[in-house]
């Protein structure tokens, strides 16, 4: 025989009750009559509670009473055959009249004792259960309505009464035996004390009722029917990627539910555990889904942790003072006091120096606890042996739970890494010595982000989500969106990474969507729904959205975003950029960015600062971290200059080749912007700094390839004229090179800590001799690569390769994030 318990949402509407009827019918056919335990209709217990509060304060409650009546009556009208309706209406009317009288009493007396509150709350389960028993029973008349107050006996701790198991089990068995062959419909949540006064088992206590019945009747299984697919790895309302666990142990379920997984009420586990009765959590709205089984001998799932849960709102109290050091009995006194006063302590930590104790309690107990501690330790406080306790509000507990934690080192490392990288400050930590649970206290504002970040870190079988804010929608930004869209599926499948672009901005508009912006039509969205662009607001939004695993992708070539880099790193957001300005301004700034990123545990990747997508920055970094020493770097890092000198041969004049380059779109509108070598200088400066040299732009020696007259020409047209006029200057150089069987190359060189850029003649033994097209090339000579240099060569410009480099950097942050 099974116990089937249906929660509030499963009895909350005509639709859900119809589903419940089907489930019961199927169960009856398969294994005979189950015992059914029912909650109040969803929201009813809260409604009753607020009606009682209102009455106690002298307010009216007639609207709520009407609402209650209507909700029940609507169900009866829909689901019960007309001839059977009247007796049920009558019985419910009697119950509602009683409730009204009771509330009227509260109103007159302006007094609401815990005992009266329990009585008021009991109407929820009594009404729903009676009504559903009649609806279910209309087919067979096998229904028996059982008011659990008649069989579950408790002490008088109203609101959270303790069950007298022995007596209760006897009474339940009696009741069951005297109704043999019938189907029992039992009110969840309620019970009664020795005097027959109604008590309740604590909020969510209908689950417990089911377990008590299960234990008394030695049920083969206790099924908890609710509105989710079982016990999940986290609360699905907070963590969208939470998934349901096929199996977990009683301890795991207990720990998870104690720390906020509301899906099952923690005391439920005890009677089931004692008798080894499996508890199955199932979804009324998806009855085919097998749900989660809580049982004794669980298969090893291979998961390091089973779930993450949280308590939304807690307060912590910190007590410090020299008077506590080495003094036995201090914490004993403190916690006995709290226990005596029924203040539930959620977690405790004590430093090993015994100088301070921190513990967490429910915020509603905070003021009372403060007062009580003040009284109890009055003398110690006066003598300054302890400081006045410090209270903090607005905090949450996040807990990871799982029995496998015990055998697996590195779990807490992973937890703190995920929190740290996302800028979440941990206020207190507690790990039970059983190692089933590690709990951390964090700010409430960070809870959602923390849950998602930790979930992503632990459940590797799921796709990790990166949240990317993209600034700049020029060639590179646009190409990046196209590439992200094209590779979305591949990334999810092969790298387990999901990239969500959650913000897009340019100089005109900006748009944000925490769920991810559709990249098929980002232009339209930005245009139609975007708000006016404002960079400081953009940064504010990145911070206030407080998403886990965030990246800022700066795809501009502008100075403005650079001013915010420090603030962005300080907000624990990684930066990926093709913008060279940040790294090539002052050395102080270059260093500050790295220091801030390191301090906050985030990444700063800028592979595309040098040679677009070519692996240059990364190669240099790898050489350095593996202990190699850079002896020199030689490079051609300008596609434009490369094109010009690679093609300046034979009969063509220097003027014509520059013109050709411009026509092909390889140059800036004023080709001198390329030929002056400023951009090249920036790249060399970044490489030199990455190689460990503290250089400023002014330290780089640039020898212009152009004669003065060309540089000084007023307009671009004039510039071309000077090129013609200076033809012999270039021809002479070329001739000389050809005579020596060499070619002209404009090369940057880092050697002995100095960077020089200038025109050189190289012979065919030089790796740069055979360069073609607009390729970039770089050669590293190091301790390890001394005989023959390490060379990286290939297209070093263009939107496709640059965007691909930015893309790779984003994925690279993803690899580090988890
Ligand atoms: P019922 O009314 O059926 O008793 P509850 O509202 O008490 O249902 O519990 C179900 C709810 O618990 C779910 O809707 C879900 O939002 C919440 N919940 C919190 N943590 C978890 C978790 N780890 N797994 C599943 N559900 C959870
Ligand atoms: N109706 C009660 C509550 O809302 C008990 C339950 O649903 O489990 O707390
Ligand atoms: Mg519940």
């Amino acid at each position: 025989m099974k116990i089937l318990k249906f929660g509030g949402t499963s009895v909350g509407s005509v639709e859900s009750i119809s589903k419940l009827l089907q489930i019961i019918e199927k169960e009856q056919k398969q294994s005979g009559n189950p015992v059914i335990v029912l909650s109040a209709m969803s929201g009813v217990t809260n409604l009753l509670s607020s009606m009682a509060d209102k009455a106690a304060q002298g307010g009216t409650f007639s609207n709520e009473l009407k609402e209650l009546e209507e909700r029940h009556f609507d169900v009866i009208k829909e689901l019960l055959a007309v001839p059977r309706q009247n007796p049920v209406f009558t019985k419910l009317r009697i119950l509602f009249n009683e409730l009204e009288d009771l509330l009227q009493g509260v109103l007159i007396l302006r007094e609401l004792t815990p005992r009266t509150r329990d009585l008021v709350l009991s109407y929820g389960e009594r009404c729903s259960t009676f009504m559903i028993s009649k609806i279910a029973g209309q087919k067979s008349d096998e229904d028996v309505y059982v008011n659990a107050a008649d069989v579950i006996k408790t002490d008088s701790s109203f609101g959270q009464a303790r069950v007298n198991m022995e007596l209760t089990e006897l009474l339940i068995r009696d009741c069951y035996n005297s109704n043999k062959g019938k189907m029992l419909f039992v009110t969840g949540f309620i019970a009664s004390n020795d005097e027959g006064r109604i008590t309740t088992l604590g909020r969510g206590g209908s689950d417990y009722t089911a377990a008590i019945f299960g234990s008394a009747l030695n049920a083969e299984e206790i099924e908890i029917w609710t509105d989710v697919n079982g016990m999940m790895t986290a609360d699905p309302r907070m963590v969208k990627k939470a998934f349901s666990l096929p199996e977990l142990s009683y301890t795991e379920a207990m720990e998870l539910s104690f720390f906020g997984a509301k899906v099952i009420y923690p005391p439920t586990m005890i009677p089931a555990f004692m008798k080894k009765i499996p508890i199955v959590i199932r979804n009324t709205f998806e009855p085919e889904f097998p749900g989660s089984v809580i049982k004794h001998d669980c298969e090893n799932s291979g998961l390091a942790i089973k779930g993450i849960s949280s308590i939304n709102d807690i307060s912590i109290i910190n007590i410090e003072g020299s008077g506590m050091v080495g003094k036995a009995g201090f914490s004993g006194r403190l916690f006995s006091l709290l226990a005596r006063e029924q203040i539930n302590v959620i977690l405790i930590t004590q430093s090993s120096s015994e100088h301070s104790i921190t513990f967490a309690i429910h915020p509603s107990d905070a003021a009372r606890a403060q007062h009580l501690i003040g009284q109890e330790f009055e003398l110690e406080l006066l003598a300054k042996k302890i400081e006045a306790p410090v209270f903090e509000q607005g905090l949450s507990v996040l807990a990871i739970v799982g029995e496998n934690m015990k055998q697996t080192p590195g779990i807490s490392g992973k937890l703190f890494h995920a929190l740290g990288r996302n800028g979440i400050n941990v206020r207190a930590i507690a790990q039970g010595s059983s190692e089933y649970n590690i709990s951390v206290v964090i700010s409430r504002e960070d809870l959602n982000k923390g849950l998602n970040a930790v979930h992503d870190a632990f459940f590797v079988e799921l796709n990790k989500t990166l949240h990317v804010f993209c600034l700049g929608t020029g060639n590179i930004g646009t190409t990046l969106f196209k590439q992200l869209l094209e590779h979305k599926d591949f990334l999810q499948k092969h790298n387990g990474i999901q990239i969500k672009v959650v913000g897009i901005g340019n100089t005109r508009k900006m748009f944000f969507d925490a769920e991810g912006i559709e990249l098929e039509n980002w232009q339209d969205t930005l245009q139609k729904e975007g708000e006016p662009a404002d960079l400081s607001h953009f940064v504010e939004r990145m911070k206030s959205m407080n998403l886990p695993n965030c990246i800022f992708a700066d795809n501009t070539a502008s100075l403005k975003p650079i001013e915010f880099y420090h603030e962005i790193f300080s907000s624990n957001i990684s930066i990926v950029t093709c913008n060279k300005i940040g790294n090539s301004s002052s050395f102080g700034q270059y260093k500050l960015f790295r220091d801030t990123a390191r301090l906050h545990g985030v990444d700063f990747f800028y592979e595309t600062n040098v040679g677009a997508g070519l692996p240059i920055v990364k190669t240099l970094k790898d050489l350095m971290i593996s202990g190699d020493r850079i002896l020199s770097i030689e490079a051609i890092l300008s596609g434009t200059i490369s094109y010009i000198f690679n093609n300046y041969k034979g009969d063509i004049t220097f003027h014509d080749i520059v013109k050709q380059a411009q026509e092909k779109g390889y140059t800036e509108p004023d080709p001198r912007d390329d030929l002056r070598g400023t951009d090249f200088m920036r790249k060399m400066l970044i490489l030199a700094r990455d190689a460990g040299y503290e250089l400023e732009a002014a330290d780089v020696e640039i020898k212009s390839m152009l004669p003065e007259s060309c540089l000084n020409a007023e307009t671009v047209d004039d510039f071309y004229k000077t090129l013609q006029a200076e033809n012999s200057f270039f021809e002479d150089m070329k001739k000389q090179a050809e005579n020596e069987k060499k070619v002209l190359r404009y090369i940057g060189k880092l050697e002995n800590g100095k960077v020089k850029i200038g025109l050189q003649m190289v012979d065919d033994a030089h790796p740069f001799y055979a360069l073609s097209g607009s390729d970039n090339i770089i050669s590293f000579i190091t301790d390890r690569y001394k005989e023959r240099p390490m060379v990286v060569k290939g297209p070093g410009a263009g939107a496709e390769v640059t965007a691909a480099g930015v893309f790779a950097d984003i994925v690279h942050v993803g690899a580090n994030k988890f």
Side-chain angles (χ1 to χ4, degrees):
M1 186 267 301
K2 287 188 193 167
I3 313 285
L4 270 56
K5 177 260 169 180
F6 292 88
T9 43
S10 306
V11 299
S13 65
V14 171
E15 294 73 46
S16 59
I17 297 173
S18 312
K19 296 220 178 313
L20 163 156
L21 295 173
Q22 288 168 12
I23 294 166
I24 298 180
E25 202 172 327
K26 194 164 169 214
E27 178 60 31
Q28 258 180 318
K29 280 197 190 123
Q30 271 173 7
S31 16
N33 278 345
V35 171
I36 313 293
V37 176
L38 298 169
S39 283
M41 293 180 81
S42 55
V44 164
T45 312
N46 284 343
L47 192 68
L48 289 165
S49 179
S50 77
M51 283 158 82
D53 288 331
K54 265 193 177 169
Q57 281 152 22
T60 64
F61 45 82
S62 49
N63 286 344
E64 287 89 340
L65 202 59
K66 208 153 142 232
E67 184 191 329
L68 262 184
E69 233 176 70
E70 271 169 14
R71 280 191 65 187
H72 289 86
F73 287 2
D74 285 351
V75 171
I76 297 168
K77 283 182 207 149
E78 278 288 328
L79 295 178
L80 196 60
V82 177
R84 290 176 177 255
Q85 286 180 1
N86 259 341
V88 182
F89 281 137
T90 311
K91 166 82 180 180
L92 287 190
R93 274 208 189 92
I94 295 172
L95 287 173
F96 290 129
N97 286 344
E98 268 176 39
L99 174 64
E100 189 174 6
D101 290 348
L102 181 62
L103 290 170
Q104 205 61 44
V106 173
L107 180 78
I108 293 165
L109 293 170
R110 298 279 200 283
E111 188 182 275
L112 178 65
T113 60
R115 187 172 100 177
T116 309
R117 183 190 289 280
D118 273 3
L119 182 57
V120 172
L121 297 191
S122 75
Y123 284 88
E125 267 69 12
R126 283 152 71 192
C127 292
S128 68
T129 307
F130 180 75
M131 171 178 88
I132 293 170
S133 72
K134 292 298 156 203
I135 293 172
Q138 61 190 329
K139 276 200 183 144
S140 57
D141 280 321
E142 279 181 354
D143 62 295
V144 178
Y145 164 71
V146 178
N147 182 344
D150 296 336
V151 287
I152 300 183
K153 300 307 282 183
T154 67
D155 67 4
S156 298
S157 318
F158 295 97
Q160 189 126 27
R162 272 181 288 266
V163 178
N164 175 345
M165 275 310 261
E166 227 168 296
L167 177 58
T168 298
E169 293 205 351
L170 281 176
L171 291 171
I172 291 176
R173 269 181 230 131
D174 262 5
C175 168
Y176 184 72
N177 291 333
S178 54
N179 288 296
K180 268 263 142 62
K182 306 244 164 154
M183 186 150 54
L184 306 191
F185 289 83
V186 183
T187 56
F189 183 49
I190 63 177
S192 68
N193 68 3
D194 290 347
E195 299 160 16
R197 301 277 179 194
I198 292 238
T199 57
T200 60
L201 302 175
R203 291 303 306 271
S206 298
D207 300 332
Y208 190 27
T209 309
I212 296 168
F213 267 75
S215 167
L217 301 175
N218 289 317
E220 63 184 270
E221 191 171 287
I222 299 163
E223 291 186 355
I224 306 287
W225 289 83
T226 181
D227 62 346
V228 281
N229 277 342
M231 184 73 125
M232 306 181 82
T233 47
D235 186 342
R237 284 170 305 185
M238 312 268 270
V239 178
K240 296 237 162 59
K241 286 195 261 176
F243 58 94
S244 81
L245 295 159
E247 278 189 5
L248 63 169
S249 71
Y250 295 104
T251 319
E252 287 170 334
M254 177 81 127
E255 294 277 352
L256 276 172
S257 55
F258 178 73
F259 278 91
K262 186 182 163 215
V263 67
I264 189 159
Y265 183 53
T268 312
M269 259 62 76
I270 298 160
F273 171 77
M274 305 288 266
K275 295 247 170 113
K276 296 192 181 162
I277 305 172
I279 303 176
V280 190
I281 304 179
R282 303 188 63 175
N283 190 348
T284 305
F285 306 92
E286 221 180 303
E288 323 71 46
F289 193 82
S292 306
V293 188
I294 302 168
K295 61 175 194 174
H296 205 68
D297 294 315
C298 283
E299 296 263 320
N300 190 336
S301 62
L303 296 172
I305 65 165
K306 280 289 173 67
I308 308 156
S309 55
S310 58
I311 304 177
N312 201 18
D313 197 9
I314 58 140
S315 298
I316 58 173
I317 302 182
N318 184 45
I319 306 181
E320 278 187 29
S322 55
M324 284 157 50
V325 182
K327 232 23 227 278
F330 178 87
S331 45
R333 257 172 80 200
L334 174 65
F335 294 114
S336 314
L337 166 75
L338 297 171
R340 209 167 48 238
E341 298 292 334
Q342 305 235 322
I343 293 176
N344 182 25
V345 178
I346 298 166
L347 64 81
I348 308 169
T349 65
Q350 177 175 24
S351 65
S352 57
S353 67
E354 298 182 41
H355 192 74
S356 77
I357 294 185
T358 305
F359 59 94
I361 55 175
H362 203 267
S364 59
D365 290 329
R368 207 154 54 90
Q370 186 163 27
H371 176 72
L372 290 166
I373 294 169
Q375 268 183 343
E376 173 79 23
F377 296 100
E378 195 180 357
L379 292 178
E380 285 84 348
L381 282 163
L382 275 175
K384 300 239 176 295
K385 284 192 175 160
I386 59 170
E387 311 282 332
V390 179
F391 281 69
E392 279 186 73
Q393 313 271 14
L395 300 170
S396 298
V397 183
L398 180 154
I400 57 171
V401 169
E403 289 189 335
N404 273 359
M405 277 188 334
K406 216 178 191 154
Q407 300 100 7
T408 327
I411 301 281
S412 55
K414 202 174 238 185
L415 169 69
F416 294 115
H417 180 72
L419 294 171
R421 275 195 69 115
N422 283 289
I424 299 172
N425 189 25
V426 175
R427 314 296 291 275
I429 306 165
Q431 175 178 10
S433 59
S434 57
E435 292 186 53
Y436 295 144
N437 172 323
I438 304 175
S439 303
V440 292
V441 176
I442 59 177
S443 149
R444 184 144 33 110
E445 283 147 27
D446 288 330
L447 180 60
N448 208 309
K449 172 163 144 181
L451 283 170
N452 282 284
V454 173
H455 197 270
D456 260 4
F458 277 101
F459 296 106
V460 281
E461 48 286 290
L462 298 175
N463 283 315
K464 315 295 180 198
T465 304
L466 294 176
H467 294 104
V468 189
F469 294 88
C470 293
L471 195 69
T473 59
N475 256 342
I476 295 170
T478 307
T479 312
L480 176 66
F481 295 148
K482 195 181 84 204
Q483 293 179 353
L484 285 173
L485 191 61
E486 281 167 6
H487 290 88
K488 194 168 116 196
D489 295 338
F490 182 87
L491 265 184
Q492 293 208 353
K493 206 157 148 204
H494 298 276
N495 299 57
I497 288 180
Q498 181 188 26
I499 298 176
K500 277 190 185 173
V501 175
V502 287
I504 297 181
N506 58 25
T507 48
R508 298 167 300 281
K509 291 264 171 107
M510 55 187 200
F511 180 75
F512 303 89
D513 183 351
E515 293 305 318
I517 299 167
E518 295 278 350
L519 291 180
E520 280 92 349
N521 44 9
W522 64 269
Q523 280 104 330
D524 257 13
T525 314
L526 188 64
Q527 186 56 34
K528 293 196 184 116
E529 296 174 49
E531 44 194 294
D534 179 321
L535 199 49
S536 66
H537 283 168
F538 191 94
V539 174
E540 274 315 308
R541 287 289 278 278
M542 289 205 296
K543 287 159 67 178
S544 65
M545 283 167 79
N546 210 14
L547 296 166
N549 310 325
C550 272
I551 300 170
F552 172 63
D554 174 8
N555 294 322
T556 72
S558 148
L559 180 67
K560 291 205 183 84
I562 313 288
E563 291 165 12
F564 292 92
Y565 277 18
H566 181 252
E567 184 180 346
I568 294 171
F569 285 131
S570 303
S571 313
N572 293 81
I573 297 173
S574 294
I575 298 181
V576 165
T577 187
C578 55
N579 187 346
K580 292 187 252 324
I581 301 177
N583 279 327
S584 56
S585 304
S586 75
F587 183 80
Q589 180 174 275
Y590 169 90
K591 187 164 179 311
L592 178 72
F593 289 163
R594 275 148 193 81
D595 290 347
T596 321
R598 197 173 309 120
L599 180 68
H600 292 275
V602 290
D603 291 316
F604 180 29
F605 292 146
Y606 47 86
E607 183 56 72
T608 48
N609 277 193
V610 183
L614 295 178
I616 295 175
V617 173
K618 186 170 172 296
T619 304
L620 174 56
K621 205 173 273 172
D622 287 351
L623 289 171
M624 303 275 296
I625 54 175
S626 63
D628 205 351
R629 203 163 49 105
I630 309 293
L631 302 176
S632 74
I633 295 176
E634 262 190 308
I636 295 175
L637 295 172
S638 157
T640 319
I641 301 176
S642 200
Y643 177 85
I644 289 169
F645 286 102
N646 291 343
N647 293 292
Y648 184 43
K649 48 193 170 198
D651 289 341
I652 196 160
T653 65
F654 195 75
H655 166 276
D656 288 356
I657 190 76
V658 175
K659 195 93 199 175
Q660 205 179 79
Q662 178 154 34
E663 278 158 12
K664 289 199 162 175
Y666 287 157
T667 71
E668 296 293 323
D670 184 341
R672 284 173 297 180
D673 288 343
D674 297 300
L675 301 181
R676 261 192 207 104
T678 323
D679 192 57
F680 193 173
M681 179 280 287
R682 286 209 171 108
K683 296 173 184 167
M684 287 305 293
L685 184 62
I686 296 171
L687 288 178
R689 286 174 172 176
D690 279 1
Y693 297 104
E694 225 176 275
L695 293 182
E696 297 292 351
D699 300 328
V700 178
E701 219 177 274
I702 311 186
K703 276 219 189 83
S704 173
M705 72 187 78
L706 300 174
E708 281 294 306
S709 65
C710 304
L711 287 172
N712 295 339
E714 293 230 337
T715 64
V716 176
D717 278 350
D718 290 347
F719 160 66
Y720 274 110
K721 281 182 197 135
T722 60
L723 280 186
Q724 267 165 336
E726 294 281 4
N727 193 34
S728 59
F729 170 87
F730 297 107
E731 282 303 304
D732 289 350
M733 276 198 306
K734 186 172 75 173
K735 285 240 170 65
Q736 192 195 342
E738 280 168 1
N739 288 342
E740 294 180 28
K741 294 209 163 33
K742 291 181 176 171
V743 289
L744 288 171
R745 295 287 180 255
Y746 196 62
I747 296 174
K749 187 158 186 171
L750 165 70
E751 202 169 33
N752 301 324
K754 293 217 158 43
V755 179
K756 290 183 185 157
I757 300 175
L759 213 47
Q760 284 184 32
M761 293 192 289
V762 300
D763 60 23
D764 61 0
H766 195 282
F768 294 3
Y769 182 85
L771 200 63
S772 63
S774 61
D775 278 4
N776 280 196
I777 187 163
I778 183 159
S779 88
F780 297 96
I781 298 180
T782 72
D783 275 347
R784 286 182 202 140
Y785 294 92
K786 211 180 306 181
E787 302 301 310
R788 284 181 311 124
M790 179 202 271
V791 178
V792 180
K793 184 176 128 186
E800 280 292 333
V801 284
T802 309
V806 173
F807 191 164
D809 275 352
I810 292 175
V811 175
H812 192 187
V813 176
N816 282 6
K817 274 275 185 202
F818 308 103

